[in-house]
Amino acid sequence: MGKQMTEMLKGTLEGVVLAILALRPAYGYEITTWLREQGFSDIAEGTVYALLVRIEQRGLVDVEKVTSEKGPPRKVYSLNVQGHEQLEEFWRTWSFLAERLEQLHRGGK
């Protein structure tokens, strides 16, 4: 990923993670793996974990500790009501920006 892509992703990563969690509960490594499989190869695992801590502190997810065959229990995150509301706001904002950017790209038409 280029520097511009990395910078743009920083501003949208929370919404992307919330969208992933809207599909199904997941733990940090699963989210990082999915992002990398989708082409976001430069995403550091630590970035995702830091984001998960922030959205947990903001009350957007519920967390369940699930036993792991490999080491300590995993924190599995699932989107709660506040998280779904935040995700809806993200999609409204995304749509607004995408429409305006496309309009600008077409020369203001």
Side-chain angles (χ1 to χ4, degrees):
M1 245 184 318
K3 183 171 175 48
Q4 187 174 27
M5 173 74 84
T6 301
E7 290 302 313
M8 290 176 92
L9 186 57
K10 280 182 189 176
T12 58
L13 189 57
E14 179 180 303
V16 171
V17 169
L18 293 176
I20 292 168
L21 293 175
L23 299 173
R24 67 179 180 84
Y27 56 95
Y29 183 74
E30 281 181 300
I31 294 168
T32 304
T33 300
W34 187 88
L35 288 166
R36 288 178 179 161
E37 287 171 354
Q38 299 306 309
F40 301 107
S41 56
D42 290 348
I43 296 227
E45 210 171 313
T47 301
V48 172
Y49 283 109
L51 176 67
L52 288 169
V53 167
R54 284 195 306 275
I55 65 175
E56 180 182 358
Q57 289 172 342
R58 289 176 48 216
L60 303 178
V61 292
D62 293 327
V63 180
E64 180 184 355
K65 288 195 175 186
V66 176
T67 15
S68 169
E69 296 172 6
K70 303 175 183 178
R74 293 179 174 151
K75 287 176 106 176
V76 176
Y77 299 85
S78 57
L79 214 53
N80 60 25
V81 172
Q82 293 97 327
H84 280 285
E85 290 170 358
Q86 183 67 29
L87 179 59
E88 285 304 313
E89 178 63 26
F90 170 79
W91 287 129
R92 280 191 297 275
T93 303
W94 180 265
S95 293
F96 174 83
L97 290 172
E99 288 169 10
R100 297 320 176 277
L101 288 170
E102 183 59 33
Q103 197 174 41
L104 182 61
H105 182 69
R106 288 191 313 257
K109 298 175 187 174

